[in-house]
Amino acid sequence: MCSLALFPPPLPYGQTTVCESNNELLSGSSTEDQLKQDFSPPSLSFPRESLKLHSRTENSSKAAFLDHSETLWMRSAAAWRDGGLTGLLNEITNSHPHVPKWLSMSSGCILALLRWVSSFHGSLFPHLTLSSEDMIAEFSQVLNWSDCVVRAFAWHPHTDKFAVALLDDSIKIYNPKSATTPTLKHRLQRNVAVVQWKPLCASALAVGCQNCLLVWHVDPCSLSTRPSAGCAHVLSHPGHAPVTSIAWSPSGSLLLSASPMDTAMMVWDVAAESCVPLQRVGGGGVTFLSWSPDGSHVLASTPSALFRVWETRMWTCERWPCIKGRCQSGCWSPDGSRLLFTVQGETVIYALTFTNTPAVPSGTSKGPHAAVVVADLSETTFNTPDGDIVVGGEIQSLAWDPRGERLAVLLKGDPRAADRSPIIAVFKTRVRPIFELLPCGFVQGEPGAEPRLMQFHPNFRHGALLTVCWSSGRITHVPFYFLSASIPRLGPSGSPTLPHVQERPADFANQSLFTELIS
Amino acid sequence: MFSSEQSCWFIRKVICWRAAASIAWAVLLLPPSTAIFVFLSKFSVLHPIQTISECFSMLTSATAIFSFILLCGVIIMVGFLNFEYYTVIPTIACSKIALFGQLLHPRQLVNSLVHCIMGMIVAWCSAVTIGFRYETLGHPCAQTDGYHQMCLNEYHLILLLGGAFVGFSHSLLGVIHNMNYVSFHTVQQYKYLRFKGCLPLVVRCSATQALYSVRNFIVVYYFLGNSAHPLDSIAGLLDLSLLYHLWISATFLLFTWYIMLLLFRIFLTEGYSFPVQSSFTEDADHCLPKVLTEKQPMLLKFLALQDLALLSQHSPLRRCEVFSLSQPGGHPHNWNAISKECLSLLADLTQRLVAYHDTVATNGRAKSLSSGKDFMSPRPTAFMKTPASVFARSIAGGQQSPLTAPFTPDLDSPFMSPALRRLAAPVEQGSPWYGTVQSPHIMRRVPKLWSTSTEASSQALFADSQAHIWALEGLSYLVQASFSEDQFGVVQTTLPSILSCMLVLQEAVDRHFKLPHASSKPVRSTSSMGDSTYKTLRFALRATLKTAIYRITTTFGDHLNAVQLSAEHQKRLQQFLEYKE
């Protein structure tokens, strides 16, 4: 098993990770040290002060403006519209002098009964008592989401453009080949939890937010910097909010969305604006989705200690109960055969192996029987010239590069201890012929900046490119230069690359840390 | 009877069995739903124990068993009607008058009448089940002179008439909401899970629809009823218990029928796996390449295309058979037949779109000249190539009724616009009709009813596009897989024609969406059993087409520069390669 003790120590204070070259991570004291590259996506910075934030939500302004001299009927209708049954009952109970006593009494009783039932329900699934903003923060893949300037980030699967969702609920699209930077704003686009581009399409961007799901069509040839709200399709389903995770099928035909409030996972046919709910009781909701790159499986985790792996041909699922906590994050190997996942409250990475024998229909494919621990990330103390540094602990998110050779792990750290800030640990991985996990190093930013969110570029030609969004509002890109040892893969997500020279790093043999035993 | 030996095989061996299985399941589900209905209809808050004992004694009585047998008969009849009237291509009425024509078509009238009678039978069963004051049609009443005689029990009558009304309105709404249209899901699921997922919707739909129907019935009863009866007054009708029983029996009626409809749809659209090739010559007719080219029944073609789309995505072994060469001879017969059929489907759609566009464009000019209203605009689409003519259905072929012909004018219907009838008939140059058709005088006299909605005609144009969507998916996935799986290069030979066919279609679709109303999203009703998937098929087709082209360009990348295409198509393809479409 691989552990953090085998990692090279973190960089001294003031140094930042620049890139990986010749099998080691290079560091520099400032960002000018970056190597000359033939492709360099823009490093961006969004200082918190530059954003115009909402000072008031819609709910708080309501009391100041609502005309209380309206008739009871009007108020009841408004309450029904805004707050549903509970709102209506509340309104009737509170407008005491205007309604008969028996009515306000009975509605008060019904309200109390409803609250009692919902508190009982809430005691079974404690997350249901959270507000939608807290819920997104709790289940997001972004560390400390509510305080984050960059709330979501997505590379386009085929080109070099990317979308950035900011704290002020706007989304900006950057394209190195174009001078225009479209900004997407919509009335319903509030508290963006996740963004993702549609595969096999140039323009469609799905956005999961507090009340609904939006699909923007951003014409790549348009010169407009503010696409109108007409470019966005709103997809919503009663009870399916807030949306905390979305996943496009790699073939670009379907979109999945998940909400911790809804036990059903939605399969959207976006063009037809129709959805099929895939309902499974147990778990109390769906928090995180990840579609395997070959399109055959989907990981769906729930707020309880249970996650499911769906197969996408007949949409049946396997239940995977965890012992300690809920599944926090997960990622798939490029061929879809291996799933790595982490569990809340544990400091290890588990692996599941799926074998898809092509001879039988995939509906009958046999899954694995138990998960294997492949890496232990428990706390480790490094002796550095600056003093002892403690690294390790719970894991916030996982990211695996599209070739399956680098695995980035965002460690939560401990917000109460100063010397244990969040950090990104990177592993070297191999999927074939056997699964191997080796240490690579830590990725660190400028002093004081904590990593919040990370994603690999989907088709970086010279290895892997990790994009990291920092707490300071900066977005930087860390390239890992290597020659790919894997066989070029043909998949829907990228064009076939020419075969690389098979090169095997010299120190692989004597430093193997997790090596699968072939039985 | 049937158009060919082939379809006869399919109808006999697959479709009939599926319909029979769905009816059997609906009958099996009848006892639990009846039990719930009995419980709900007899429930009283004050005497819960008594309710339960009453329910048990009711369910075991002879009348209950007799009415249960009647209900089974009704369900079987409903299943049979579903089977007789179903269609996979929706009928879209382009104008109000066309809808009237559909509603008053003799075949539809028969349907309404049968539904009316069945509604009455179910209502009788529920009246007997509820018992109490509803049980019999007559009751003894005392006259002033002490002479006993039978009077009409109006409570029983109102329930019977209510059932008939709900049955009738169900049949009418079936036409308006295209309830006989069977759509295919984008997501494959097992039958049980699909049924379970749809059950809440069925309960909700039947309850709300029953509420609306009962409301309408009460209004009709109030205005048409004889005022001599005690119930025909506002106070008499506002009897809560009566309203509840009317509503619950209407809900029960609609629920059993909707369950039947749902099961029928689920069973019918279940995927069917056709063999790609067979070593026995007698089975050759059952193989996918042969079945794809069949015209009748429509369901066979749809299931074959669905199977093609699924195999191209999910099963490498069956793809391998598609790419294989014949023994002896070494010809890629399978691939040739499949790609040819898919390409002809797509070419057909392109042609239809171009013709539609041309008609609209010329009419736009005519309109501005004659300063007429919206008389001519998209009307002539009715006689250009329609989905019906593409698939050249034969009415004698069995399952397809004249009603199912999508937006094809039913020339025999008395409600068909006379102008349209003339347009559809071959117009002789010398005939006195010639030239008068576009006269603005006629136009002004034509009421608004005749005017067609552009949106509806656009829907009608894409009514059968599910077939095209599968053809596009099947082709593009097969081409993608061929990059690594096609050992003999059989796909390479057709790649130029596939690409140019898709690009031409893309151009035609783009042009179509530039027309007014074509890109406006229709309102979709979610709380109805009618399937409104057809309303958004054109958007689905546009998205699938783009994705299909991207799938090919992303897989082949710069290799596509070596494919022989016209300069214009090369340019278009370059846009896709640079992700600028």
Side-chain angles (χ1 to χ4, degrees):
Chain A
M1 195 195 306
C2 188
S3 82
L4 284 179
L6 297 155
F7 269 66
L11 298 174
Y13 186 80
Q15 297 265 300
T16 56
T17 312
V18 177
C19 69
E20 185 205 290
S21 183
N22 290 329
N23 229 354
E24 59 180 325
L25 284 176
L26 302 181
S27 63
S29 52
S30 68
T31 44
E32 281 89 63
D33 288 352
Q34 293 218 356
L35 295 181
K36 270 280 162 225
Q37 305 159 13
D38 54 346
F39 162 66
S40 55
S43 278
L44 300 167
S45 184
F46 301 100
R48 187 175 297 264
E49 302 76 45
S50 69
L51 300 177
K52 265 190 271 175
L53 300 178
H54 308 293
S55 53
R56 198 190 291 130
T57 61
E58 271 177 34
N59 285 338
S60 66
S61 64
K62 190 177 150 194
F65 290 104
L66 190 70
D67 186 7
H68 279 273
S69 66
E70 277 179 300
T71 63
L72 178 70
W73 286 112
M74 295 293 282
R75 270 185 288 142
S76 302
W80 170 258
R81 199 187 56 227
D82 294 344
L85 183 63
T86 9
L88 179 66
L89 291 172
N90 235 332
E91 184 65 45
I92 293 173
T93 318
N94 293 336
S95 44
H96 196 58
H98 305 286
V99 290
K101 190 142 186 259
W102 61 270
L103 190 61
S104 67
M105 281 282 280
S106 58
S107 68
C109 288
I110 297 170
L111 200 60
L113 193 72
L114 277 180
R115 283 197 183 128
W116 181 76
V117 169
S118 76
S119 74
F120 177 70
H121 194 199
S123 68
L124 283 178
F125 299 110
H127 70 273
L128 294 177
T129 54
L130 295 173
S131 74
S132 44
E133 212 169 329
D134 292 340
M135 199 178 288
I136 298 174
E138 173 73 22
F139 299 114
S140 171
Q141 294 291 296
V142 184
L143 184 60
N144 207 348
W145 175 86
S146 43
D147 183 44
C148 224
V149 180
V150 176
R151 292 191 140 174
F153 178 93
W155 278 106
H156 190 273
H158 309 288
T159 61
D160 288 331
K161 66 181 170 188
F162 57 84
V164 181
L166 298 173
L167 187 58
D168 62 353
D169 295 336
S170 67
I171 294 177
K172 287 183 192 293
I173 292 165
Y174 291 89
N175 188 351
K177 288 185 188 150
S178 148
T180 52
T181 307
T183 306
L184 312 179
K185 284 188 183 175
H186 195 278
R187 190 171 51 85
L188 294 168
Q189 186 173 293
R190 284 190 291 145
N191 290 328
V192 176
V194 59
V195 292
Q196 198 178 14
W197 291 92
K198 177 179 173 176
L200 298 178
C201 182
S203 58
L205 175 75
V207 181
C209 33
Q210 186 177 318
N211 296 320
C212 62
L213 199 64
L214 291 165
V215 180
W216 285 93
H217 286 272
V218 191
D219 186 359
C221 300
S222 161
L223 295 172
S224 153
T225 53
R226 273 296 298 273
S228 74
C231 298
H233 286 152
V234 180
L235 305 176
S236 66
H237 193 266
H240 195 71
V243 177
T244 54
S245 189
I246 54 176
W248 282 100
S249 72
S251 62
S253 50
L254 298 172
L255 173 68
L256 286 181
S257 72
S259 166
M261 292 293 279
D262 193 356
T263 50
M265 174 172 95
M266 295 291 160
V267 186
W268 294 93
D269 183 349
V270 173
E273 293 190 16
S274 64
C275 71
V276 179
L278 296 177
Q279 185 103 34
R280 289 290 184 279
V281 282
V286 185
T287 56
F288 173 71
L289 297 169
S290 174
W291 207 310
S292 72
D294 69 337
S296 62
H297 291 92
V298 175
L299 164 74
S301 63
T302 70
S304 316
L306 168 78
F307 68 92
R308 296 189 176 87
V309 179
W310 292 83
E311 69 65 39
T312 58
R313 171 118 202 240
M314 293 306 282
W315 292 99
T316 53
C317 65
E318 292 171 7
R319 277 166 60 99
W320 281 91
C322 311
I323 296 166
K324 257 197 150 165
R326 67 181 153 89
C327 171
Q328 165 66 28
S329 181
C331 61
W332 292 88
S333 67
D335 58 355
S337 65
R338 209 168 296 266
L339 167 69
L340 299 186
F341 67 93
T342 65
V343 172
Q344 201 186 34
E346 291 188 47
T347 59
V348 293
I349 301 176
Y350 290 98
L352 282 175
T353 313
F354 294 86
T355 44
N356 259 353
T357 40
V360 290
S362 51
T364 59
S365 70
K366 275 300 238 190
H369 296 293
V372 187
V373 176
V374 292
D376 179 9
L377 300 172
S378 53
E379 289 177 3
T380 309
T381 311
F382 288 94
N383 293 311
T384 62
D386 300 336
D388 285 359
I389 297 178
V390 183
V391 176
E394 277 192 48
I395 296 153
Q396 176 69 23
S397 66
L398 297 173
W400 208 339
D401 97 87
R403 297 177 193 218
E405 306 222 10
R406 293 290 180 276
L407 173 73
V409 181
L410 175 55
L411 295 163
K412 269 183 188 169
D414 190 345
R416 283 157 300 179
D419 61 338
R420 290 171 55 197
S421 53
I423 197 167
I424 295 173
V426 180
F427 294 90
K428 292 172 189 163
T429 54
R430 294 217 310 175
V431 183
R432 275 173 202 291
I434 49 172
F435 181 57
E436 285 184 327
L437 207 60
L438 300 156
C440 180
F442 296 108
V443 171
Q444 285 163 280
E446 291 167 333
E450 293 176 354
R452 292 280 193 240
L453 164 63
M454 58 183 189
Q455 193 176 39
F456 276 105
H457 189 290
N459 43 14
F460 185 62
R461 288 175 179 281
H462 313 287
L465 181 77
L466 181 68
T467 302
V468 186
C469 306
W470 303 92
S471 57
S472 56
R474 279 189 78 85
I475 297 175
T476 61
H477 310 277
V478 182
F480 296 79
Y481 296 107
F482 57 86
L483 285 177
S484 180
S486 65
I487 310 141
R489 191 179 58 85
L490 302 170
S493 56
S495 56
T497 47
L498 292 170
H500 288 269
V501 184
Q502 299 268 327
E503 193 197 62
R504 188 190 164 99
D507 57 350
F508 257 37
N510 52 15
Q511 224 194 357
S512 181
L513 295 160
F514 176 81
T515 304
E516 183 182 53
L517 294 170
I518 301 174
S519 50
Chain B
M1 170 80 189
F2 300 115
S3 60
S4 72
E5 188 74 17
Q6 168 75 27
S7 55
C8 183
W9 153 77
F10 192 74
I11 292 172
R12 208 177 53 231
K13 282 203 175 152
V14 183
I15 302 183
C16 281
W17 276 112
R18 288 183 171 192
S22 67
I23 293 175
W25 273 107
V27 168
L28 280 179
L29 284 171
L30 204 53
S33 46
T34 313
I36 292 171
F37 165 68
V38 168
F39 179 74
L40 286 178
S41 64
K42 287 186 174 286
F43 187 75
S44 92
V45 188
L46 301 176
H47 311 285
I49 310 283
Q50 196 189 339
T51 311
I52 292 170
S53 63
E54 258 180 37
C55 286
F56 272 110
S57 61
M58 175 68 224
L59 286 171
T60 46
S61 67
T63 41
I65 290 168
F66 177 65
S67 54
F68 184 74
I69 292 169
L70 271 184
L71 284 177
C72 288
V74 168
I75 286 296
I76 291 169
M77 191 63 204
V78 169
F80 182 74
L81 284 179
N82 283 341
F83 180 58
E84 193 58 30
Y85 281 76
Y86 86 94
T87 171
V88 286
I89 303 174
T91 322
I92 293 160
C94 289
S95 62
K96 290 260 168 24
I97 204 74
L99 192 62
F100 271 120
Q102 282 180 20
L103 289 176
L104 295 174
H105 192 279
R107 204 176 139 89
Q108 175 57 33
L109 288 180
V110 171
N111 188 345
S112 301
L113 187 70
V114 175
H115 272 101
C116 238
I117 296 169
M118 289 192 309
M120 213 179 251
I121 295 173
V122 176
W124 183 83
C125 293
S126 43
V128 170
T129 317
I130 298 169
F132 183 43
R133 58 183 179 187
Y134 304 99
E135 197 155 2
T136 50
L137 189 59
H139 69 98
C141 54
Q143 297 291 87
T144 42
D145 54 357
Y147 177 68
H148 286 273
Q149 102 180 57
M150 293 297 275
C151 296
L152 184 70
N153 179 3
E154 212 187 345
Y155 290 103
H156 186 87
L157 181 72
I158 200 171
L159 224 55
L160 285 193
L161 290 178
F165 184 86
V166 173
F168 181 67
S169 61
H170 171 80
S171 141
L172 286 192
L173 285 174
V175 175
I176 295 167
H177 293 312
N178 264 317
M179 239 180 254
N180 63 340
Y181 166 54
V182 175
S183 77
F184 289 80
H185 273 240
T186 42
V187 174
Q188 297 289 308
Q189 271 179 288
Y190 288 109
K191 292 194 286 283
Y192 165 68
L193 293 171
R194 178 164 291 173
F195 177 75
K196 207 178 76 177
C198 290
L199 202 55
L201 177 80
V202 171
V203 173
R204 209 176 57 223
C205 281
S206 46
T208 47
Q209 191 52 52
L211 204 63
Y212 288 128
S213 297
V214 166
R215 180 198 64 187
N216 297 343
F217 170 67
I218 294 285
V219 170
V220 169
Y221 190 84
Y222 178 69
F223 283 111
L224 295 184
N226 186 351
S227 57
H229 294 295
L231 268 180
D232 195 29
S233 62
I234 293 177
L237 283 172
L238 279 180
D239 175 358
L240 272 183
S241 147
L242 174 71
L243 290 182
Y244 174 72
H245 283 128
L246 267 176
W247 175 72
I248 196 89
S249 49
T251 307
F252 173 66
L253 182 151
L254 287 177
F255 179 75
T256 51
W257 293 4
Y258 284 166
I259 285 285
M260 181 66 243
L261 183 64
L262 175 70
L263 283 168
F264 181 73
R265 284 181 185 166
I266 290 174
F267 271 86
L268 214 61
T269 57
E270 194 197 3
Y272 186 89
S273 180
F274 296 89
V276 176
Q277 57 183 12
S278 166
S279 32
F280 303 103
T281 39
E282 59 265 32
D283 288 346
D285 280 352
H286 302 186
C287 290
L288 191 61
K290 184 73 179 51
V291 166
L292 272 179
T293 56
E294 287 294 325
K295 307 268 189 265
Q296 274 302 321
M298 218 48 229
L299 182 68
L300 174 64
K301 195 183 188 75
F302 270 59
L303 283 173
L305 281 164
Q306 186 189 33
D307 188 40
L308 175 70
L310 289 175
L311 89 87
S312 65
Q313 275 180 70
H314 295 293
S315 40
L317 272 184
R318 297 178 69 202
R319 280 201 298 259
C320 190
E321 285 180 52
V322 172
F323 299 139
S324 68
L325 300 181
S326 66
Q327 285 290 346
H331 294 286
H333 288 309
N334 294 337
W335 166 253
N336 283 347
I338 289 172
S339 62
K340 192 175 150 220
E341 179 58 28
C342 290
L343 287 179
S344 80
L345 269 178
L346 297 180
D348 250 11
L349 180 65
T350 313
Q351 208 180 340
R352 217 191 292 167
L353 288 174
V354 169
Y356 178 84
H357 197 272
D358 289 351
T359 328
V360 173
T362 45
N363 277 308
R365 218 175 311 131
K367 205 157 72 176
S368 62
L369 282 177
S370 62
S371 74
K373 283 199 198 148
D374 45 0
F375 164 52
M376 273 309 286
S377 35
R379 179 76 58 72
T381 53
F383 68 89
M384 48 167 245
K385 242 177 167 197
T386 63
S389 58
V390 171
F391 291 113
R393 78 182 63 243
S394 59
I395 300 300
Q399 307 315 317
Q400 307 295 337
S401 67
L403 265 184
T404 59
F407 104 122
T408 315
D410 185 1
L411 297 178
D412 305 328
S413 160
F415 283 83
M416 188 43 64
S417 136
L420 188 54
R421 204 178 307 165
R422 254 174 285 127
L423 281 172
V427 176
E428 307 112 74
Q429 295 275 324
S431 86
W433 289 113
Y434 185 74
T436 58
V437 172
Q438 300 195 6
S439 149
H441 296 290
I442 293 182
M443 223 155 52
R444 281 195 202 110
R445 274 185 273 124
V446 171
K448 199 76 179 166
L449 279 174
W450 299 104
S451 72
T452 59
S453 121
T454 326
E455 218 262 304
S457 67
S458 185
Q459 275 177 24
L461 205 54
F462 288 92
D464 62 335
S465 278
Q466 187 62 60
H468 305 111
I469 289 173
W470 282 326
L472 281 168
E473 283 186 349
L475 273 184
S476 63
Y477 278 112
L478 282 174
V479 169
Q480 183 187 31
S482 77
F483 193 82
S484 54
E485 292 175 13
D486 178 14
Q487 298 169 9
F488 309 107
V490 297
V491 174
Q492 271 181 37
T493 52
T494 27
L495 196 54
S497 54
I498 290 176
L499 278 171
S500 57
C501 180
M502 285 186 180
L503 288 171
V504 170
L505 180 58
Q506 160 83 10
E507 204 175 318
V509 168
D510 272 358
R511 264 195 352 163
H512 181 81
F513 273 90
K514 289 208 177 78
L515 292 175
H517 305 297
S519 55
S520 62
K521 290 264 174 184
V523 185
R524 292 185 54 137
S525 56
T526 48
S527 59
S528 149
M529 275 303 284
D531 204 324
S532 52
T533 321
Y534 62 89
K535 290 185 182 168
T536 46
L537 270 178
R538 60 180 187 279
F539 300 100
L541 179 94
R542 181 173 64 164
T544 313
L545 177 59
K546 220 170 223 183
T547 310
I549 301 176
Y550 268 121
R551 189 169 292 134
I552 296 175
T553 56
T554 312
T555 312
F556 283 81
D558 291 333
H559 300 300
L560 284 182
N561 294 330
V563 176
Q564 292 286 319
L565 284 174
S566 69
E568 195 192 336
H569 286 166
Q570 284 282 6
K571 225 171 96 186
R572 199 79 202 253
L573 215 53
Q574 196 57 38
Q575 295 276 37
F576 277 94
L577 283 168
E578 290 168 7
Y579 291 94
K580 280 186 177 163
E581 270 295 323

